[in-house]
Amino acid sequence: MEPKSLKDVFDKVFTEIHQARESVTPTLIPKEVGRILTVSTGIANISGLPTVGFDELIKFPGDLFGIAFNVDEKEIGTVLLGEYSHLHAGDQVERTGRVMDVAVGEELLGRVIDPLGRPLDNKGPIVSSKRLPIERHSPAIMDRAPVTVPLQTGVKVIDALIPIGRGQRELILGDRQTGKTAIAIDTILNQRNFNVLCVYCAIGQRASAVARAVANLRERGAMDYTIVVVTEGNDPSGLIYIAPYAATSIAEYFMEAGRDVLIVYDDLTNHARAYRELSLLLRRPPGREAYPGDIFYIHSRLLERSTHLLKELGGGSLTALPIIETEAQNISAYIPTNLISITDGQIYLSPSLFELGVLPAVDVGKSVSRVGGKAQLAAYRAVAGDLKLAYSQFEELEAFTRFGARLDENTRKLIEHGRRIRALLKQPQNSPVPVPDQIVILLALNSKLFDNIPLDKMVEAESSLRKAVPDIPADVRDRFKGDKELSDEDRETILDIARKALEPYQPNPESKPKPEAKTEEKLSKSEAQTKSKSEPEAKDKS
């Protein structure tokens, strides 16, 4: 029975195989295959692929991808997005039929990734259900709402004098090592209580600098609402080039969901250099400073994606803080002027102020916010209105004092007031100041309560004043965040508390000579002199 049953099994199997073979009709599917012609630093020229599209993703051996940048008649110039040392001329390449995209979603919060969405923090793979192209159209003009809601940075000099609104693009520029990244990191740290998600995009940075920034964010609990997109200086230029676009797509996902998002590009100088390198290798014609002619376009199409959407579209916003590095304080160079014209204002950091210990080293004269007071809380507008003018006057007058010029009493008071403004606008790193504290400090400063306090006691006086902020009635503090300006009663309430807090630091009035006594002494001396003069005159007459 066994041989017979085994034969039946085989017959049945072969019959099924025959039926399956007969039911399948083989079809020929054409497949485009290309070949690598040349490989150089970060780019590859390939032949074949006649129907490839611009910006299409091309698959290379070893799970390496590239983007079709130059689509010519006989060859295609591609930008490689990874390690390419294993590629050789003659290797086969394939089309993917899609453009470059990146994973988006809530799963990315708290993670450190590269522009391809690969994790760099050893916390396991990122599982996301949605992907978005890195190159997307910016929102139409009619889909945008005015910028009216402030984005509080926690930096006194910025919130008071150079306010930033949600949906604004504010450029941060300055020479190397002047504190540009520090301002951006402080702004991210300050968003904890404002329900603003943050994306920090490190473009071609040193690995140690990125690790320090991530450790700083993690230590202070900011990684809970932050995504870090990283490319290092030794990464291929293609990865550096796509990094800000990938980070913006990640941020746009949250903006389109109705959330407020802050994105920091650190920095776009490295991005421009990477694009220049790719363009020159692909034989694109160089222009000014060897940059290609479309360098303005690649940054404008990136920053135009930052906006504030209408309520009908969710009311989300994307605020951009692009950072660029100047050389020898030359803000009129090619890339700085391009980005100044694209953005809605700039924060300029001066190396001379940095050397003097004025931190953050914001040059108020060269910094501007084109949205201005419209993106500022009403309480700020009332207390910070005259501050910029007073500070600018002080900076001009201070130059004269260096020549030993004799000053009248009014000028001396202006200079002393300006010195107190400068002292109070100083702020240590990683210590954002809350809104109520800032408003109380600025109101006391405008009322000249600090003018008689010695400069060496300003830090202690400010600390004492900030400790007194909780003593302000809750209803007054609630009005700090409203749309209505502070009433005269509110101001007096705040100033009374401020005077009490600053009283121990005021100079002792008894130590000062009384002006009335001085005048009396002067009068008695002058009378004695006139008497002594009149006596010999009388003798001569006699």
Side-chain angles (χ1 to χ4, degrees):
M1 291 296 292
E2 289 182 5
K4 188 177 179 182
S5 61
L6 188 60
K7 183 177 180 299
D8 291 341
V9 173
F10 276 117
D11 287 343
K12 186 180 179 181
V13 171
F14 284 126
T15 304
E16 290 176 357
I17 291 172
H18 179 72
Q19 289 173 353
R21 191 186 66 182
E22 290 294 328
S23 63
V24 174
T25 305
T27 56
L28 295 175
I29 300 174
K31 186 179 179 182
E32 289 187 41
V33 176
R35 299 281 177 185
I36 298 177
L37 295 175
T38 59
V39 180
S40 56
T41 310
I43 67 158
N45 290 312
I46 60 177
S47 62
L49 308 181
T51 60
V52 73
F54 176 70
D55 262 1
E56 184 176 338
L57 208 57
I58 296 172
K59 187 176 182 180
F60 287 81
D63 288 332
L64 175 66
F65 290 93
I67 298 175
F69 240 47
N70 284 4
V71 184
D72 298 328
E73 187 178 352
K74 294 184 179 179
E75 65 178 42
I76 300 157
T78 60
V79 173
L80 301 174
L81 304 177
E83 180 54 46
Y84 52 85
S85 57
H86 62 281
L87 297 184
H88 302 91
D91 286 351
Q92 184 174 302
V93 298
E94 300 174 8
R95 285 184 61 191
T96 61
R98 60 187 179 91
V99 294
M100 179 63 202
D101 54 20
V102 66
V104 297
E106 300 280 344
E107 297 83 4
L108 272 68
L109 288 172
R111 301 300 301 270
V112 182
I113 62 172
D114 70 0
L116 301 176
R118 297 176 300 199
L120 301 175
D121 52 6
N122 299 321
K123 291 186 178 180
I126 295 170
V127 181
S128 177
S129 58
K130 190 171 182 182
R131 299 182 73 86
L132 288 178
I134 64 167
E135 293 274 11
R136 306 179 74 209
H137 290 296
S138 58
I141 297 296
M142 299 306 293
D143 294 341
R144 302 180 184 224
V147 177
T148 54
V149 181
L151 181 102
Q152 298 297 142
T153 64
V155 180
K156 290 176 287 187
V157 64
I158 295 175
D159 290 341
L161 306 180
I162 318 152
I164 300 172
R166 296 187 187 184
Q168 189 175 339
R169 298 153 298 179
E170 186 79 6
L171 180 66
I172 301 173
L173 75 161
D175 282 11
R176 186 172 174 271
Q177 296 294 326
T178 50
K180 302 184 294 296
T181 302
I183 285 180
I185 295 295
D186 281 359
T187 306
I188 292 174
L189 294 176
N190 196 52
Q191 303 314 308
R192 167 181 288 280
N193 301 320
F194 291 99
N195 195 27
V196 176
L197 300 179
C198 303
V199 179
Y200 177 69
C201 181
I203 307 169
Q205 297 292 318
R206 297 192 311 274
S208 59
V210 175
R212 190 162 56 247
V214 172
N216 194 357
L217 293 172
R218 187 167 283 129
E219 182 183 339
R220 288 168 173 78
M223 283 301 289
D224 297 341
Y225 53 87
T226 304
I227 302 166
V228 181
V229 182
V230 176
T231 52
E232 297 173 4
N234 57 352
D235 283 338
S237 298
L239 270 184
I240 295 173
Y241 167 70
I242 69 168
Y245 298 102
T248 307
S249 289
I250 293 169
E252 278 179 330
Y253 169 81
F254 295 104
M255 176 185 72
E256 290 167 0
R259 306 285 295 274
D260 292 313
V261 190
L262 167 69
I263 186 166
V264 176
Y265 303 108
D266 189 9
D267 63 56
L268 290 183
T269 310
N270 290 335
H271 184 248
R273 287 170 184 158
Y275 185 67
R276 174 171 62 180
E277 180 182 335
L278 294 172
S279 298
L280 292 174
L281 288 167
L282 290 168
R283 304 300 179 105
R284 292 186 175 184
R288 177 178 166 185
E289 296 180 28
Y291 287 105
D294 61 343
I295 189 70
F296 180 90
Y297 171 63
I298 72 159
H299 284 154
S300 62
R301 77 170 186 253
L302 171 70
L303 292 167
E304 277 298 321
R305 292 162 70 176
S306 300
T307 186
H308 182 204
L309 295 176
L310 292 170
K311 286 185 178 178
E312 293 80 4
L313 298 173
S317 68
L318 178 56
T319 310
L321 292 180
I323 298 173
I324 56 169
E325 182 182 304
T326 56
E327 294 179 356
Q329 306 180 49
N330 183 15
I331 61 173
S332 61
Y334 188 33
I335 300 301
T337 48
N338 276 354
L339 282 156
I340 287 170
S341 62
I342 294 167
T343 50
D344 306 315
Q346 71 273 354
I347 298 168
Y348 176 68
L349 299 178
S350 166
S352 55
L353 288 175
F354 188 88
E355 289 162 7
L356 290 170
V358 180
L359 302 176
V362 176
D363 188 326
V364 176
K366 294 180 181 177
S367 302
V368 66
S369 173
R370 297 191 184 98
V371 174
K374 291 180 181 178
Q376 212 171 19
L377 292 170
Y380 268 104
R381 286 197 294 272
V383 299
D386 301 330
L387 201 61
K388 191 167 187 176
L389 178 63
Y391 193 55
S392 300
Q393 285 178 332
F394 156 68
E395 286 184 325
E396 284 190 16
L397 291 170
E398 191 183 33
F400 289 102
T401 62
R402 293 171 188 160
F403 301 108
R406 296 179 66 182
L407 304 173
D408 61 281
E409 186 63 20
N410 188 36
T411 305
R412 190 189 64 77
K413 285 181 179 178
L414 283 173
I415 290 173
E416 289 301 319
H417 183 57
R419 284 175 179 156
R420 269 63 183 181
I421 295 174
R422 175 186 283 170
L424 281 175
L425 292 181
K426 289 182 183 179
Q427 188 172 332
Q429 192 176 342
N430 301 328
S431 56
V433 181
V435 171
D437 294 24
Q438 288 196 38
I439 292 173
V440 172
I441 290 168
L442 295 174
L443 187 58
L445 187 59
N446 265 2
S447 302
K448 301 188 177 180
L449 300 184
F450 286 98
D451 283 13
N452 293 326
I453 297 175
L455 284 172
D456 57 350
K457 292 184 179 179
M458 287 294 289
V459 176
E460 297 172 26
E462 181 188 355
S463 177
S464 175
L465 182 57
R466 288 182 63 181
K467 288 176 183 175
V469 171
D471 298 338
I472 298 171
D475 58 330
V476 176
R477 276 184 284 143
D478 290 340
R479 283 195 281 277
F480 288 165
K481 299 177 183 179
D483 296 331
K484 294 182 180 179
E485 293 186 2
L486 296 173
S487 65
D488 292 339
E489 292 179 5
D490 293 341
R491 285 167 171 263
E492 278 306 314
T493 303
I494 296 166
L495 290 175
D496 286 343
I497 293 170
R499 286 189 191 98
K500 289 176 184 176
L502 296 176
E503 191 175 355
Y505 302 96
Q506 299 288 352
N508 190 356
E510 294 178 0
S511 62
K512 288 185 176 181
K514 294 181 180 179
E516 295 174 355
K518 275 189 173 180
T519 52
E520 287 174 5
E521 286 175 10
K522 285 180 181 177
L523 285 170
S524 59
K525 284 181 181 178
S526 60
E527 285 173 3
Q529 286 175 356
T530 51
K531 281 182 181 179
S532 61
K533 284 181 181 178
S534 58
E535 284 175 1
E537 285 177 2
K539 285 180 183 179
D540 292 339
K541 283 180 182 178
S542 62

